[in-house]
Amino acid sequence: MINCKEVSKSFGEHKVLDKVSFDVPEGVIVGLLGPSGAGKTTLINILTGQLTFDAGEVSVMNKDVNKLKGADKDKFGIMMDRFGLYERFTCAENLAVFADVYGINKSNIKESLASVGLEDAAKTKAADLSKGMRARLLLARALLHDPKIIFLDEPTSGLDPKSVKGIHEIIQNKKKEGCTIFLTTHNMDEATKLCDDVMLLNEGNIVERGRPSDLCRKYNKDKKIKVTMKDGSDGEYKQNADAADKIAELIRQGSLETIHSEEPTLETIFLELTGKKLEED
Amino acid sequence: MQKILVIFKKQLRDTFKNKTILIQFVMFPVLTLIMENCIKINDMPENFFTKLFAVMYIGMAPLTSAAAIIAEEKEKNTLRVLMHANVRPWQYLIGTGAYIWTICMIGAAVMSTGLPSEERLFFLPVMAIGFVISIIAGACIGIFSKNQMMATSVVMPVMMILSFVPMLAMFNDIIKKGAVVFYTQQLRNIFDEMSWSAIGTKSIVIICANALVFAVLFAVLYRKKGLE
């Protein structure tokens, strides 16, 4: 669906992307993870044809991104954090503008607002929406014309947990409908929960790629097991026969409350690979 | 054509929500009606206020509204969203320009209600030409400006020159000599005569030159900055 071959992009002297290569199959959610300034938005701008690149090849839907026509781009749904809304218009009016642009039936507006849980806010002015509601309206606008590829740039950045959960549900539903979703985030939880595949981007290079669970297993070098006792104390064991005996003993004694493996998170993997944190403190 | 109409419709929908722009459109037509009907001074030229405010309307409403609308869309990043939805920059500019022109023509029609019908047929086409030039000038400012605040600060002096200089020229000969280079001053002269046959070649040349300057400026700015 998306194919990127050795794509490079510089802004003046600053190299933002350095020979980035990857491909995204149809019907999956791919997450691009990286700290602020890693080149995530630049890459999304290149993939959506908003930005030219210095070297390499990019094809989307088997077509050179520079040769995509209007009808091809109509299959894109793009939500970017910096995108604005018509503040004086209501939610329904905001969507109505784009329903007219895409030449789609106005009845889709109600449906679209309902899909993001904004049916009761149809007549609320965009200026009066909370940050979470604004994000949902931006998402509704991106999905209004039933796109086949959805590009989401930091879709849940700065939102409350309830709004984040709502947006995650919408994204997962779109995947079930067969859409290909390419999202950027610096939130490791989001990537772990949502993505079939993640790419870790650092200083314009993809430093690691794979399924979140596979990556966590791959970097689980210590293979630790964490146990919590009924008295509230806890302990850590390395996976070996000795630890197995001790844990079995704790179970026999009935003093064990919880037991789980201590796998690294995407955050710790990123830190290990780059020496940097994904999320700023 | 469909996307031009969408932009036109969007702007039309925004007319009554955007009070600052609405005031620009309504102020001079309303002032004209009030002044023409309430103030009667001996020896005052016929339809004095209509002619005076007509030029001020040309130099103010289309200029400020074109600049403000484009600058606001740029600042709020809604223009970028439209471009993503395959609205071409020229479709956006034509849609917005057509909207401003139409609303201004409605205002001009209101202003012309006090004129005899034969003068009205002269007044409206001349106003139409003036609006087009001002819209292009306003679009230049909108494209040049990064945000609304910048657009306002650039529009203000341009608007003052285009709309107030022709009025001040009535009272001061030095200003009148300088004002001759502006299309609004030439339109003011044309309105004084209210006759097709009285339009001089000099006026036509100056108006065309003004239109050309703004068109070239628009092309240069658009090529350099686009609508981003």
Side-chain angles (χ1 to χ4, degrees), chain A residues 15-26:
Chain A
K15 197 155 205 167
V16 181
L17 296 174
D18 187 16
K19 294 185 179 171
V20 169
S21 297
F22 63 88
D23 60 289
V24 176
E26 198 175 339

Side-chain angles (χ1 to χ4, degrees), chain B residues 129-163:
Chain B
I129 293 165
F131 289 145
V132 171
I133 302 172
S134 291
I135 289 167
I136 298 170
C140 289
I141 297 170
I143 290 171
F144 174 74
S145 308
K146 279 185 182 154
N147 51 45
Q148 290 178 86
M149 193 177 272
M150 188 175 171
T152 310
S153 47
V154 179
V155 146
M156 282 307 280
V158 178
M159 182 197 78
M160 297 287 267
I161 291 167
L162 293 177
S163 57

Side-chain angles (χ1 to χ4, degrees), chain B residues 166-186:
Chain B
M167 182 186 71
L168 297 173
M170 291 194 303
F171 311 108
N172 185 300
D173 279 343
I174 299 169
I175 295 176
K176 196 171 188 176
K177 276 179 192 163
V180 83
V181 296
F182 300 119
Y183 68 102
T184 43
Q185 176 62 46
Q186 294 306 322

